Each structure stands twice: as structure tokens, then as C-alpha cells.
Amino acid sequence: MILKGQGSGPLPPLLQQYVELRDAYPDYLLLFQVGDFYEAFGEDAERLSRALGITLTHKTSKDFTTPMAGIPIRSADSHLERLLKMGFRVGLAEQTEPVEAAEGLVRREVTQLLTPGTLTRENLLRPDANYLAAIATGEGYGVVFLEVSTGEFRGVVLYSKSALYDELFRNRPAEVLLAPELYANEAFREEFQRRFPLMVSSGSFDPQGARSALVQQFGMLPSGLDHPALERAAGAVLAYARTTQDGALPQVRGFARYDPSAYMQLSETTLRTLEVYDPSPVGSYGQLAPGEERTLMGVLGLTRTAPGRRLLKAWLRHPLLDEGPIQARLDAVEALVRDSVLREAVRRLLYRIHDLERLSGRLAAGRSNARDLAALARSLGLLPELKGQLLACEPLRVLGERLPLLGEVAERIGTALVEEPPLKITEGGLIKDGFDPTLDGHRERAEAGRTWIAGLEAAERSRTGIPSLKVGYNQVIGYYLEVTRPYYAQVPQDWRIIATLKDRQRYTRQDLREKEREILLAEEAGRKREYEVFQELREEVGRQAEEVREAALVLAELDVYAALAEVAARRGYTRPRFSSNRLLIRAGRHPVVEQHLEGGFIANDLEMSPEARLLILTGPNMSGKSTYLRQTALIALLSQIGSFVPAEEAVLPLFDRIYTRIGAADDIAGGRSTFMVEMEELAQILQGATAKSLVLLDEIGRGTSTYDGLSLAWAASEYLHDSVKALTLFATHYFELTALPETLPAARNYHVAAREEAGGLVFYHQVLPGPASKSYGLEVARLAGLPPEVLGRAGQLLAGLVARRDDLGQALVEELLALDLTRLTPLEALLKLQQLRAKLRPVALWEAAD
């Protein structure tokens, strides 16, 4: 029992109590309730002061002084949020009995353990999913995600580190538990935390302990946990979460093992490139304003409920591969697009519904408060109207049939609770009069006592003749009779002085004390009974937690349909169609750029098929090549989550993956150059892409020398065309690649239109057949504001490079003329011809580009 401080004397009782609780939770920063503050002492006080920038004071007793820092309870949430973001685990030790009822030191207990991945407090949670993840190894990686606030519990087995990182990026856990073999691997842990700046914790991954935790939770080992690494991770995440939730997780009802290959594969690189969740600081749309969300999620995120937002994010993580479910989603969206009255009515009702998914979790765990139940009753009261609207619309009928009404639950809560219950459930004021006869009796006795005291003032004024006599109350001395100085002589003998002020005295008497005691006893009994009644009500409602959760899931799905329909109606999106191998987009647009672009967005067409599966796109910088690539990928992604798309017409295959290599990036901390990052991403594409994939490449090879880059880009194009046969859009400045259609039958040239005019280079942002006429590099540099002398010198150098190219061509001609064909065998002649052709190809292509 050690506490930093000065003095040789023993710790006072309050600090002894603090140290005992702190030592029971050594991994947590303990915040200790003292009245209206959470306090920390000793080294924890210094840590708290540094973290929050608050004043460090001292707690001084007779023989000991220790550092002290504290935060007001009324503003604790904002401070707790900051501490959790900074990587602290926080324990709250709260007073568990009223101060007036305490015999000596007030009893305190650790009532909440807070870590980033195990939060259940509504005021600390964001609307998005808040996952706790665990990772173990053994024939791959076992990865498990637990959402403590909702009870969602699922996992997957992955067989590469890149797949592991992609899955973590898709799910965005708030906290990750690493198995000992990973936690002790310093290189892995450093790389992991560089990629994922979140709290990394160690957990109990012992196989026997993991199995015990699972059996304890479910009564048996759940199906799907037949992989050792997955079982270890699942047990570890349950055990860790249980320590923060009073040893129980009743909201976790089952485990779901899923297979990422059952969905379209979207890597971390693809999600970042397409800015699905996170915007680039300077993306396709210019500099972002503070707080501005220029992302696909920002465009689609018109959901009205928190569960709807979480479900929409889940759909974007895992686009579907089967046309049947996609068409069912599109049917629902189309019904709401066509019926604007229904769409508006649904969205208006959804806006009034609380987060029933998380509320069901608190119900199952027995942690809901009176305001939770009141919010539940209000939300359930809206379900009959919603159900009727869904049943009347054929594409939405299945949702209506799944939606439980729970009218009896809403009625029971409405009968029991006052309309605006207080936050605390132990201080009364929750239950309506007439609901519980025993509670009514306690209230009647307390009210009778207060009525007697209310009449006492008038009665005593009349009896004593003291006109200024008052009956008052405060928390220190209770009820009292107050008399001003001129009337002291008229005070009856049986009154006893209990306080003397400057010009008045306060008195009590035996019957007043007895009546006060009766009132206090009745009020205390009423509070206890009211808490008992509330607990019974909470337990009764809690038995319907699974039905509440089912209602939340139905409403979340409806919310996503309504949000997608709203976006489609506002932005003029169209319903996509599907083909086995054809891609046709008429007047396609980038959903994010068009929403934030001043002026009209230039729509473009795209048509691809097995006979035209490699599109070589040329054109100057800033002409819109990258936007064209991204919009194609986003249209494909939207279509496979069941959304309408920004185009006049869209016919698409069902893609198994979308691969992107767009934009320059390096990994300085990891020691990887821009070119190394580019090549690693290209390697993943070439190794993983299939004929059912969509591949988007932008400027492959620019991170190295011209000839090295050109050679790599050429070879990669041939491989994608001949071996992979994926639909590929390749934007490039290598004009030599425009010769690919001469040798690759399914390659096609397109360019983004631009023209030099008197005022400079003009971009038309239109994609047209054929290669670009030139690169316009110097013209773009002029638009960027390079000094004239730099531009002039660049022109001179360019002319010199062209001349060198011409010299190379001349040298090859001379080498050919010098050959003595009579001395060459047929095989030697063929080999020599191949060598000359290889040397001559860059020259011919350069000529073609000019």
C-alpha cells in the first residue's frame, strides 16, 4: 500500500481506501469519487494532470501530503473521452451509499472499467461501431471482433499479413488484443502500431482458458470455432471484455464466423484511394475545409439512425457477389425512390427513433436506466405506423413482416415511468403514482408529514404571537423554527436552540424532530421501494432484449434503403443492371466530386468487354484521368452494395475485387520509397487479380527511370491482357504504351481532351477514343506558375533529348547496314533481328507519340 507523498505517518482512511482500490486494478488510471469530483492521488494525480493539463494540488492530512488532481463529475465525459483517446484505461470508483447513511467512511466501489474497445456508456460512444479485436496465430491469423455495446461477435481466419491488415482497416477496431507471440514480436508490434494508431493490449490467450471462457459464455463451444487461432482469439476477447463488464456479457448471444471471399474484396489501398471512409488531405477536390467530410460515406450517409449508419458502413466494407440479394436491395431502394411521400414519411419516423441496437445491449446486460426505458417506449410507439407503411409496399413487405411491434412493452413502460425520468435511478422520481401500492403508501406518509410541517408555521405564529416566525429546512440541521431577535422573549420554553445567527436564532422541538424523522424514513423507504420497482420493470423489459434488437436490425436496413433512395433522388442516380462480362456506363459521374464541384461535372462514357478489356488512357495532368478511374470503381462498388449509381445508364459485371494503384505515396517510417510502395501494390494486383476483377492503374513506373518504368508498365499491361484478362483501365504518360493495341487485340486507346489556345492549355475533361496528341507537360507547368526562364530551359533540354533519340535511331540503322548477311546462319539472323527490333521499339514508339 504505497502512495507517493511526503510524511511518515499512516495514510488517512480515505487515502487507504483509494490505494486498496487502485492496487486491485493496477492497469487502470483510477478516478475516485469525492463528493462532486473524481479525484486521483499520488503518481496517478501527476499522470492525470499532465494528460489533461489541469492543476496539480495536494491532499494534506496530519502526517501525510500527496499530489492530488481532479475533474468535476458533471463534465467528466469530455475528460474521459480525451483520456481514452490518449491510450489510458480508466477505472471509476464511485460512492455506493448516501453520505448521510454512511457510518464513518463512505463506501466506494469500482463500478466501471473503461477501455476504448469495451465502452457501453452511450455518452462516450460514437454512432459508428466500436470494436474490440483480438488476433492470435496458428495456421494463419485468427481475428475476432466484439462490439460490447450491441453484442455483435464474429471472426475470421486469414492466411497473410496483408489480408489481416486489410480486414482490420475495413472494421476499424478501437482496441486490439495481441496474442503473446505477436505482442512479444517487437518488429510486428511496431509495424502494427504504425499502420493502426490505436490501443494495443495483451490478453489471456491460453487455449484452455479461451475454451473455458467460451463455454462459460455460451454453455458449449460455439460452431465455427474449429480453428485453434480463432478459438484462442474468441476466448481472449470475451475474457478481456468480461473483466470490464462486471464479469458478464449477457448481450453476447452467439458467434458468427464469416468468409471475406464471400464478398467483393476491397483492400486497405483501395478503400484509401477511393476515399470511401477517409478523405485525402488534398484529394480530387482540392483543400478540405475543417470538419468537411468529402468521402463516399459522406455522400451516402443520409441515414437517420445510428444503427443505420453502422449498417451502411458494413455494406460498404463488404459489397455483395450474388445478383439475387443485390436485386432485392435495389428493389427496396427503387420503391423508395419512386414514392417520395413514403420515403419522407419513413425518414421522418426514423429520425425520432433512438439507438435501439445499443439499447437492447444495455437491456440484456441489466444496465439500462430510466431514460433508456422511456426512450424505448417512445421508439416502440412509432413502430405500428412504420409497420403499416412497409406492409403496404410490396418490395418492403418482408421488412414489415420481420418488424416486431412490442406494444405491450411500450405500454408497460408508459404506465410505470414518469414522462421525463431523472438520470440517476437510486434517488427517486422515476415511478408514477398509482403504479405500486407499497410505494404509494410511503409517499403518502412522507406527504402527510410535510403537510403537518407546512401547517406548523401558521399554527405557531398564532400560538406564540411572533409575526416573523418561519419554518425552514437545510441539509445540515434539517427542519427548524426561526425567530428574529426582537421576539426572543416570546419563544416557548420547550423550544431548543440549534443555531444562532447575527440577528436571528433557529430552534427545534421534540415533535418537529419526530415528524422529520418520520418523513425521512418514509422518503428513504420510498426511494428503496422505487428502486426495487424499477429493477423489476427493467428485468421484465430486459427479457424482450432480443426482440428489441431484431427491431433495431430491421429499422437499420430500412434506414439504409431510405438514405440510398434519398441520395439517388437528390443527385439523379439510376438503377444499375448486370451483365456477365460487359461494362457500359453512359454519362458516368464521380459521386463525391460532383457534389463538391463548383459548376457542372463533365460526365463521361465507358464501354468495356472481353474484346476490349484493356483501356490505355492518356492526357495531360489535371485533365481528369484519375477522377475517371475512380468514378468507374465507385460506380461498380455502389452497384454491388445495392445502390443506384451516378450515371444515365450502367450495365456492369459482378466484380470479385477492385484493385487500385493510383497516386504517389511512400512509407518513410517503414523505410519504403514511393517506387517500392508502387511495386508492392502492383505485385499484389498481378498476383491476386482474376478475370472477374476491375483493375485501375495510374502512372505505373513513374517512380524510377524512364526506361525501367516504361518496361515495367509495358510488361504489366501485357500480363493483365494475356494472363489475367481482367477489365483494366491504365492511365499513363508513357505515350509508348499507346502502341499496345498494335500487338494486344483487346487493348484500346482513349484520351482526355485538351487543347492549346491563345490563353493557354484548356481542359475539356472529356474522354474520347484514340491516344492523346502529346503530353502537354510544359504547358501544365506553365499553368502551375513556373518561372519563364525555367520553362525556356526545359524546352531547350526537351529538344536535346529528342535529338539524342534521333541519334539512337541513326546508330541502329548503321548497325543494320554493317551486317554481312552472307555470313549469318538462319538462327543467328533471327536472333540478330530480334535484338535490333528490341532496340528500335522505343524509337518507333517515341516517333508515334510525337
Side-chain angles (χ1 to χ4, degrees), residues 478-521:
Y479 287 101
Y480 56 82
L481 297 150
E482 185 176 271
V483 177
T484 54
R485 184 184 297 277
Y487 300 100
Y488 287 171
Q490 296 174 239
V491 172
Q493 293 295 319
D494 60 338
W495 290 16
R496 179 169 59 86
I497 297 176
I498 55 175
T500 299
L501 306 180
K502 181 178 180 181
D503 60 347
R504 64 197 64 210
Q505 289 183 336
R506 291 172 178 172
Y507 303 83
T508 188
R509 65 187 199 189
Q510 186 62 31
D511 60 345
L512 180 59
R513 279 285 177 249
E514 290 175 357
K515 192 61 67 175
E516 179 181 2
R517 179 174 174 78
E518 290 177 11
I519 294 170
L520 291 175
L521 288 173

Side-chain angles (χ1 to χ4, degrees), residues 89-411:
R89 300 175 183 84
V90 181
L92 299 182
E94 298 181 304
Q95 296 172 183
T96 55
E97 64 176 343
V99 175
E100 58 272 14
E103 296 180 2
L105 190 64
V106 175
R107 184 172 64 251
R108 294 178 176 85
E109 298 175 2
V110 175
T111 58
Q112 296 182 70
L113 295 174
L114 307 176
T115 75
T118 60
L119 295 175
T120 58
R121 286 177 54 159
E122 186 177 12
N123 44 4
L124 292 178
L125 282 166
R126 300 295 186 192
D128 297 334
N130 192 73
Y131 290 119
L132 171 67
I135 308 171
T137 62
E139 297 181 10
Y141 296 95
V143 187
V144 171
F145 299 97
L146 173 64
E147 223 288 9
V148 177
S149 68
T150 65
E152 179 188 353
F153 188 38
R154 57 192 176 87
V156 63
V157 178
L158 304 166
Y159 294 97
S160 70
K161 191 161 66 172
S162 62
L164 168 68
Y165 288 163
D166 287 343
E167 195 64 21
L168 290 170
F169 186 82
R170 282 192 287 267
N171 288 275
R172 311 293 187 89
E175 183 177 2
V176 174
L177 309 179
L178 294 180
E181 66 271 18
L182 295 174
Y183 195 83
N185 185 333
E186 187 173 344
F188 176 88
R189 201 169 73 247
E190 288 181 358
E191 179 188 9
F192 187 90
Q193 293 202 278
R194 185 172 65 248
R195 295 180 70 114
F196 303 101
L198 46 81
M199 179 179 282
V200 174
S201 307
S202 58
S204 176
F205 285 79
D206 173 68
Q208 288 186 333
R211 177 160 294 200
S212 175
L214 290 162
V215 171
Q216 182 181 352
Q217 181 70 32
F218 302 111
M220 59 182 293
L221 192 66
S223 61
L225 287 172
D226 53 354
H227 190 283
L230 197 62
E231 183 179 319
R232 288 176 65 211
V237 82
L238 277 180
Y240 182 88
R242 193 177 285 127
T243 62
T244 69
Q245 307 296 316
D246 295 333
L249 293 167
Q251 67 271 38
V252 180
R253 301 292 181 87
F255 175 81
R257 180 172 174 176
Y258 66 98
D259 179 5
S261 65
Y263 305 94
M264 178 198 284
Q265 297 293 286
L266 297 171
S267 68
E268 175 183 352
T269 300
T270 298
L271 290 171
R272 288 189 187 279
T273 298
L274 300 181
E275 298 172 308
V276 174
Y277 299 127
D278 303 307
S280 298
V282 179
S284 307
Y285 341 113
Q287 188 68 39
L288 295 178
E292 190 174 11
E293 187 182 2
R294 294 187 181 181
T295 64
L296 182 63
M297 184 66 194
V299 172
L300 302 181
L302 300 183
T303 52
R304 311 307 293 268
T305 69
R309 179 179 174 84
R310 292 193 289 271
L311 182 62
L312 176 57
K313 278 201 164 185
W315 285 12
L316 287 170
R317 281 197 300 270
H318 295 300
L320 301 176
L321 295 179
D322 296 330
E323 185 176 346
I326 296 174
Q327 294 290 8
R329 289 182 181 180
L330 288 170
D331 288 343
V333 173
E334 183 171 20
L336 290 166
V337 170
R338 292 179 178 276
D339 192 338
S340 60
V341 175
L342 174 62
R343 184 176 73 249
E344 179 57 33
V346 164
R347 285 172 56 78
R348 185 174 61 251
L349 290 171
L350 288 172
Y351 186 72
R352 297 165 58 190
I353 291 177
H354 293 258
D355 189 341
L356 296 185
E357 188 178 20
R358 282 180 170 158
L359 204 159
S360 71
R362 293 196 293 277
L363 283 174
R367 293 195 180 92
S368 51
N369 58 35
R371 291 186 182 178
D372 287 334
L373 297 192
L376 174 62
R378 289 194 297 270
S379 299
L380 296 181
L382 302 172
L383 298 192
E385 184 177 354
L386 267 172
K387 189 178 183 78
Q389 292 169 337
L390 298 178
L391 292 175
C393 178
E394 189 58 36
L396 301 174
R397 174 177 289 276
V398 66
L399 284 182
E401 292 169 348
R402 284 174 48 201
L403 183 63
L405 291 181
L406 298 168
E408 293 181 359
V409 174
E411 184 178 355

Side-chain angles (χ1 to χ4, degrees), residues 413-725:
I413 295 171
T415 303
L417 291 182
V418 298
E419 288 187 7
E420 297 293 336
L423 183 61
K424 290 190 175 182
I425 59 176
T426 57
E427 297 183 0
L430 307 172
I431 306 299
K432 289 180 178 178
D433 291 335
F435 183 76
D436 180 72
T438 304
L439 175 59
D440 290 343
H442 295 314
R443 288 175 171 173
E444 288 168 4
R445 285 191 294 276
E447 185 59 29
R450 286 191 290 268
T451 300
W452 182 87
I453 290 175
L456 180 64
E457 182 176 301
E460 289 303 295
R461 279 186 182 181
S462 174
R463 186 173 74 89
T464 62
I466 302 173
S468 63
L469 185 147
K470 293 181 180 179
V471 174
Y473 174 84
N474 68 37
Q475 292 184 342
V476 177
I477 62 177
Y479 287 101
Y480 56 82
L481 297 150
E482 185 176 271
V483 177
T484 54
R485 184 184 297 277
Y487 300 100
Y488 287 171
Q490 296 174 239
V491 172
Q493 293 295 319
D494 60 338
W495 290 16
R496 179 169 59 86
I497 297 176
I498 55 175
T500 299
L501 306 180
K502 181 178 180 181
D503 60 347
R504 64 197 64 210
Q505 289 183 336
R506 291 172 178 172
Y507 303 83
T508 188
R509 65 187 199 189
Q510 186 62 31
D511 60 345
L512 180 59
R513 279 285 177 249
E514 290 175 357
K515 192 61 67 175
E516 179 181 2
R517 179 174 174 78
E518 290 177 11
I519 294 170
L520 291 175
L521 288 173
E523 288 178 339
E524 180 62 24
R527 279 194 295 269
K528 288 182 178 179
R529 178 56 188 164
E530 193 164 5
Y531 182 57
E532 292 172 358
V533 171
F534 176 76
Q535 286 182 307
E536 293 169 1
L537 176 66
R538 179 167 62 183
E539 183 177 347
E540 179 183 346
V541 175
R543 288 193 285 270
Q544 308 299 318
E546 192 58 32
E547 286 80 0
V548 173
R549 184 173 182 273
E550 176 61 23
L553 297 179
V554 172
L555 295 175
E557 191 172 343
L558 175 62
D559 194 12
V560 175
Y561 293 143
L564 295 178
E566 184 71 15
V567 174
R570 289 185 188 182
R571 311 301 304 181
Y573 289 8
T574 191
R575 177 171 179 158
R577 306 194 312 275
F578 297 98
S579 167
S580 60
N581 54 19
R582 180 188 178 210
L583 185 151
L584 172 66
I585 298 173
R586 298 292 185 203
R589 311 182 309 273
H590 192 298
V592 186
V593 175
E594 75 159 344
Q595 182 163 304
H596 297 278
L597 191 67
E598 295 182 4
F601 184 93
I602 305 299
N604 276 294
D605 300 341
L606 174 63
E607 187 167 1
M608 302 181 76
S609 67
E611 293 73 33
R613 59 179 177 269
L614 174 60
L615 189 153
I616 307 299
L617 182 64
T618 50
N621 284 319
M622 304 192 305
S623 61
K625 298 191 302 296
S626 295
T627 298
Y628 184 69
L629 266 59
R630 286 185 172 99
Q631 77 185 39
T632 302
L634 289 172
I635 288 172
L637 171 59
L638 287 174
S639 69
Q640 288 184 229
I641 70 167
S643 172
F644 280 30
V645 299
E648 290 182 3
E649 181 184 6
V651 180
L652 302 110
L654 290 172
F655 294 108
D656 62 354
R657 293 170 179 260
I658 295 177
Y659 286 102
T660 61
R661 165 84 284 275
I662 300 175
D666 55 20
D667 180 9
I668 296 173
R672 300 186 302 162
S673 67
T674 298
F675 183 64
M676 175 59 79
V677 172
E678 179 182 319
M679 289 300 100
E680 288 180 353
E681 292 179 0
L682 179 59
Q684 291 177 0
I685 293 171
L686 298 180
Q687 293 167 10
T690 72
K692 293 183 177 180
S693 301
L694 176 63
V695 177
L696 308 174
L697 303 175
D698 188 10
E699 306 299 346
I700 290 296
R702 63 182 165 183
T704 186
S705 70
T706 300
Y707 289 124
D708 283 351
L710 173 59
S711 301
L712 288 166
W714 191 293
S717 299
E718 289 180 336
Y719 185 81
L720 287 166
H721 178 280
D722 296 337
S723 300
V724 178
K725 296 181 170 60

